[in-house]
Amino acid sequence: MAHINENYLKLPGSYLFSEIARRVNVFKDENPEADIIRLGIGDVTKPLPEAVIKELHAAVDEMADASTFRGYGPEQGYDFLIEKIIEFDFAPHGVNLAIDEVFVSDGSKSDTANIQEIFGTDNVIAITDPVYPVYVDSNVMAGRSGTLGADGKWSDMVYIPCTAENGFVPQLPTEKVDLIYLCFPNNPTGTTISKEQLKIWVDFAKENQVIILYDAAYEAYITEADVPHSIYEIEGAKEVAIEFRSFSKNAGFTGTRCSYTVVPKECMGYTASGEAISLNGLWNRRQCTKFNGTPYIIQKGAEAVYTAAGQAQIKALIDYYMYNAKLIREGVKSTGIEVFGGVNAPYIWLKTPEGLDSWSFFDRLLNEVHIVGTPGAGFGPSGEGYFRLTAFGTKENTEEAIERFTKKFKL
Ligand code: PLP
């Protein structure tokens, strides 16, 4: 008899986005003429940069010719892309990496979900709350969660609340933990931490032989000087941190799929008897067994991000979304509603007014101004009472949405 992995049965349905879709559909049926503006989903709306498109076409042509055709590539990614990643994304921040410390892949979603496989099932997982749900669900599937309580928390996981009360700065856990997921700039709160604050976590990880899984998918949106672009800017972080980066949000690759993960060779995990083992070797083994590399064509497209034209074009994309972020942030603020994020991230996190819970505010926004956002409660218990708006809409839609919003909620 084929037994299933019963951990999958513990997972509640992916309630958040299906429930949003359900409520929007009910509203649309009742109000077919309403012009609904969606500022909910974290997907980009602008097309790929021209430099990327040009290189994608050229790579397709290479595949059409026997002399330039490529079959299986290196599972870790082509050197031409990894060299650019190191030169452009890390060297300017004083971080030196070797070619075999960078693993190109098809998305930070898969990498942040798969990374837990190289760790024992007895590790205690800590997550910041609210959180990108992939970190939680992938550990539930692997059997590290315990049971889901009425408070929305898994019994074996450690929740680190990030709320307005602590300025969205995660505080060190008092319980014993082994793996910590940190995401900065943060989805969903749009907030960041300083180098000094991140150093506290790196020092804690070093003292306690803990690994930090650092998701920097929104790094390109950082505008402020003291916000670290990479965790490796912090001394000693290479010993305790794995970093995830993606081309999805800086270069519009959400549908094209390219990302990378950095696993420094000095980053160690431990056997039950306490022997230190390099995680780089384990991740390499995992990828070589289960992954056959990101397509050559896609890696050529990603390489074009690092040309002069590519750099200028991705800057224009980010500026476009950050104009929206500023507009949303300032518009919401002008109504007296408390607002966070949107300065170093394309997400704006607001405190729901009049003590409304997240879903009641969702309904109000949909019914009264025809705007769709994301209820904070969908990202974890500490997201209750908050609401996420994204800057990924078009400029025109965002301007219209904020005009409606400010008219409605102006004090
Ligand atoms: N990490 C965070 C925090 C995200 O918000 C997202 C996507 O929304 C991802 C990772 C996934 O990125 P990718 O498109 O590279 O899979």
Side-chain angles (χ1 to χ4, degrees), residues 107-109 132 135 183 187 215 217-218 246 248-249 257:
S108 286
K109 183 178 192 172
Y132 177 56
Y135 317 147
C183 173
N187 176 18
D215 187 345
Y218 297 95
S246 174
S248 283
K249 306 297 164 74
R257 314 303 303 143

Side-chain angles (χ1 to χ4, degrees), residues 101-298:
E101 292 179 309
V102 178
F103 296 83
V104 176
S105 88
D106 63 356
S108 286
K109 183 178 192 172
S110 28
D111 282 2
T112 55
N114 291 331
I115 196 73
Q116 47 76 30
E117 280 185 24
I118 65 169
F119 296 97
T121 47
D122 56 347
N123 282 297
V124 177
I125 307 296
I127 50 135
T128 54
D129 174 26
V131 72
Y132 177 56
V134 172
Y135 317 147
V136 177
D137 289 0
S138 56
N139 279 292
V140 174
M141 291 170 176
R144 294 191 191 89
S145 65
T147 52
L148 186 59
D151 57 358
K153 294 184 182 176
W154 293 96
S155 58
D156 291 352
M157 290 194 189
V158 173
Y159 288 71
I160 301 168
C162 291
T163 59
E165 284 70 41
N166 59 26
F168 300 93
V169 177
Q171 306 298 300
L172 293 177
T174 48
E175 304 91 331
K176 177 197 168 301
V177 302
D178 304 300
L179 297 176
I180 297 167
Y181 289 84
L182 292 180
C183 173
F184 290 108
N186 189 264
N187 176 18
T189 66
T191 57
T192 48
I193 56 174
S194 67
K195 283 183 193 162
E196 207 181 310
Q197 287 161 340
L198 186 55
K199 183 177 183 306
I200 293 172
W201 282 89
V202 170
D203 291 346
F204 171 82
K206 283 171 72 175
E207 273 159 35
N208 295 282
Q209 296 178 316
V210 159
I211 292 292
I212 298 173
L213 301 167
Y214 193 76
D215 187 345
Y218 297 95
E219 174 275 335
Y221 290 85
I222 293 171
T223 60
E224 292 182 319
D226 190 38
V227 178
H229 287 254
S230 163
I231 192 167
Y232 306 121
E233 289 175 49
I234 314 297
E235 208 193 317
K238 280 187 181 178
E239 293 161 42
V240 290
I242 290 174
E243 182 165 312
F244 305 91
R245 295 275 191 105
S246 174
F247 292 94
S248 283
K249 306 297 164 74
N250 66 339
F253 271 58
T254 53
T256 307
R257 314 303 303 143
C258 196
S259 69
Y260 62 89
T261 291
V262 180
V263 191
K265 278 181 242 162
E266 57 259 63
C267 188
M268 297 292 169
Y270 300 87
T271 63
S273 59
E275 187 194 347
I277 304 284
S278 170
L279 296 175
N280 178 284
L282 296 190
W283 184 244
N284 187 43
R285 189 74 176 84
R286 192 264 170 211
Q287 289 300 80
C288 289
T289 300
K290 297 196 175 185
F291 183 60
N292 245 343
T294 306
Y296 172 74
I297 295 167
I298 303 299

